[in-house]
Amino acid sequence: MTPEIAEVKQFVVKQMPFSQLPDAASYFFATHLEVIYLTQHNQHQWLRDTQLNLYLVRSGSFDLLCARGEIVMRLAEGDYFGYPSLLTGEAIKSQLRVTAPGLVYVLKAADFDFLRAEYKQFEQYFVKAHTNRLLSVHYKQIRDSWSEKKVSEVMHKGAVTLPPCASIYEAAKTMSEHSVSSVIVSDNNKLLGVVTDKDLRNRVLAKALDPAKPLSCIMTKSPKYIFEHNRVFSALHLMLKHNIHHLPVLNEHLVPLGMLTSTDLLRQQKSDPVQLIAKIHKAQSVAQLKLLASQVPLLLKSFANNIDDMSLLGKLLSSLSDALTSRLIVLYQQRHGPAPCKFSWICFGSQAREEQTLHSDQDNGLLLFDEITDEQKRYFAGMGEFVCAHLAQCGIRTCPGNIMASNEACRGTISQWLTRFETWLHAPTPKAMLNCKIYFDMRFIDGADSLYSEFATKLTKLVKNDLFFAAMASDINTNSVPLGLFQQFKLEKDQQQHKFLDLKRRGVVIINDIVRLYALKARIYKANTQERLEALLDSQQLSKKDIYDLKDCWRFLTQLRLKTQLESEPLPENCINPECLTSLEKHQLKEAFHLIKQAQQACAFKFARGSL
């Protein structure tokens, strides 16, 4: 070995993945590479379609640019580039810009392929590196989409405010002068309420109210609001959830800055889910609700065309399900009289996590106060039957496991629900674990939120049994990702012999189960998977890298799952044929499954060592 080759090999062997490979791998690399000195004058000779190579930076600094000229990443000593096209065979789309000239080692495609075939760990390293770069670029693009813009970028700037003592007449005049449909009612820069043109119609004109009266008589007090740096989609979700069209925007000191309206959002997208939610809340009959619900699939497709992150559709679908549920509860009470006592309608599963898809079914229940009478129970039995039956008519299928408020077992007092949870926690049988995976994803929908809060507070005190956590971790590891030897997909077949991967059961469900376990251990009682992961950043349960890996895997699998549903592929629900994927997507999917498997193993090691 010449001194020159020895010196190169000494550098190469310190770099991943060669530091974990046999010595022969770094020797092969060192004896088959070409050394170039990359400068501004010769930078355009590299990264060309006709010249596929692997590049390893020895010295200098270089910017890798996307086709639009934006920086993808900055390259320095020990960084590789050129491998995406070597892995996929697709044309090179990136460009290179020299910021500081330096030495670069160049390995030809044939030699790269030899190392891939000879050392599986070599290939896996670059597949993972490519996946991480794809995710990084993908989420940068998401941030540039309308739904990821800051509220401050799309709001009606300049708060139009009046004090609560201002007259109704003055408010109407101010709205006309500023060509706005609402005013913020504030005192000493503190948000007190909102008055809209709808309020002027319904609370003033329709009731012949004296316009000289103060705004405090008609304003919506303590309105929902959003901060200027929040995402537009967060604002959309808030408006959908609470059926509002005007959302005050505040700065971090709670000072009103302006108003965000549904019209502002309409300028950003072509579909209007806010309007559909509003119509649902105004529906006067089940027939009207069914007609409105029939518009949901078309709305989703339209909405999907205007966002990059299709996993956001889960929040939209859940908001629509919430609205349908709430309106059916109102219609039931219009027919049978107001509720005779406090109740909380709660949901479980995907609706609670705000992760519904077009194929999600119902999971709901009723929480009742402990002193309820038999007559009152009959009232709520009727409510459960009415709401669940008509949700099914609106397209939200009944639960195969009968986890619905129409089932007596899913209508219980606080004490009854707590007893059920306590039984599952202290006798963690497989059936109990299945129940926990469903019922611990829980969210309040309608009724008395104070009743639900009381129940949730008492429930948190029960979850402290290590045997339960161990059983849950063991149960999670009974499921497996669809990867076989040599990272090959393990496909299933339906009756028509269609080959497929089950993205829900073999991917998304496992992530949900893992995240739920860590969240319960950390006493995090959010239901949404992404929100649970975000909250786990402040705990010691998982490393930041593991959290970000799980977030990326969940988003990617959810994207594929929803995309397949919207395209109506002839496969079982939540499934995909990997042959329909690009080579990039296949690599990314294998890496996602690999990371999920690692998370499963780590979960078992942490919680279930004594029980496995």
Side-chain angles (χ1 to χ4, degrees), residues 233 237 311-319 354-355 528 531:
F233 188 81
H237 181 57
S311 64
L312 299 176
L313 292 179
K315 282 186 176 288
L316 174 57
L317 264 173
S318 299
S319 293
E354 299 176 284
E355 296 166 9
N528 180 267
E531 291 176 5

Side-chain angles (χ1 to χ4, degrees), residues 1-12 26-33 58 105:
M1 186 187 304
T2 65
E4 292 82 4
I5 291 178
E7 195 275 334
V8 171
K9 181 178 176 294
Q10 187 178 7
F11 172 79
V12 171
S26 54
Y27 178 78
F28 179 90
F29 189 97
T31 55
H32 287 76
L33 58 79
R58 176 65 189 266
Y105 296 152

Side-chain angles (χ1 to χ4, degrees), residues 94-306:
S94 302
Q95 305 169 45
L96 196 67
R97 182 173 66 196
V98 175
T99 56
L103 292 175
V104 175
Y105 296 152
V106 184
L107 189 71
K108 293 181 179 179
D111 297 323
F112 177 82
D113 289 338
F114 172 81
L115 288 172
R116 284 179 67 186
E118 193 72 16
Y119 304 103
K120 201 65 182 176
Q121 199 169 352
F122 177 89
E123 180 180 54
Q124 289 176 350
Y125 173 82
F126 285 103
V127 168
K128 184 173 182 179
H130 181 43
T131 299
N132 291 338
R133 184 181 297 177
L134 281 175
L135 289 168
S136 175
V137 174
H138 174 66
Y139 291 124
K140 183 181 186 304
Q141 292 171 342
I142 288 176
R143 288 194 294 272
D144 294 336
S145 73
W146 75 266
S147 60
E148 291 292 326
K149 288 182 179 178
K150 291 181 180 179
V151 167
S152 57
E153 296 179 54
V154 300
M155 62 181 262
H156 184 85
K157 292 182 172 64
V160 180
T161 64
L162 286 172
C165 59
S167 69
I168 295 171
Y169 169 77
E170 190 175 349
K173 183 179 178 183
T174 301
M175 289 163 65
S176 177
E177 289 174 350
H178 289 82
S179 299
V180 295
S181 56
S182 63
V183 293
I184 294 174
V185 183
S186 65
D187 185 27
N188 292 324
N189 284 327
K190 181 181 179 182
L191 174 67
L192 299 178
V194 168
V195 173
T196 69
D197 51 5
K198 181 180 177 182
D199 296 327
L200 296 180
R201 291 194 307 272
N202 296 347
R203 299 178 182 178
V204 180
L205 292 175
K207 297 186 178 180
L209 191 66
D210 184 357
K213 286 186 174 293
L215 285 181
S216 56
C217 294
I218 65 165
M219 71 181 185
T220 298
K221 298 178 182 179
S222 302
K224 301 293 179 184
Y225 60 84
I226 197 161
F227 292 105
E228 60 176 325
H229 296 304
N230 286 147
R231 297 182 306 157
V232 168
F233 188 81
S234 297
L236 174 63
H237 181 57
L238 196 61
M239 294 169 109
L240 288 170
K241 189 171 184 177
H242 298 285
N243 189 31
I244 52 180
H245 298 265
H246 297 81
L247 197 59
V249 180
L250 313 183
N251 66 14
E252 59 186 10
H253 303 295
L254 301 180
V255 175
L257 299 179
M259 187 74 79
L260 184 71
T261 69
S262 55
T263 304
D264 295 326
L265 298 183
L266 273 172
R267 295 192 189 103
Q268 304 298 318
Q269 53 157 332
K270 295 184 175 68
S271 60
D272 187 11
V274 177
Q275 296 295 331
L276 182 58
I277 293 283
K279 290 177 181 177
I280 287 173
H281 281 289
K282 293 176 182 176
Q284 294 302 310
S285 68
V286 173
Q288 287 183 20
L289 282 180
K290 287 171 61 179
L291 183 62
L292 292 169
S294 68
Q295 300 175 24
V296 170
L298 186 60
L299 173 69
L300 286 179
K301 289 184 178 181
S302 177
F303 190 70
N305 290 332
N306 291 281

Side-chain angles (χ1 to χ4, degrees), residues 45-52 85 89-94:
Q45 297 176 21
W46 307 100
L47 288 185
R48 296 183 302 187
D49 289 352
T50 56
Q51 200 170 343
L52 299 184
S85 293
E90 296 184 354
I92 295 175
K93 298 177 182 178
S94 302

Side-chain angles (χ1 to χ4, degrees), residues 50-62:
T50 56
Q51 200 170 343
L52 299 184
N53 300 304
L54 175 69
Y55 302 88
L56 172 60
V57 178
R58 176 65 189 266
S59 63
S61 177
F62 313 94

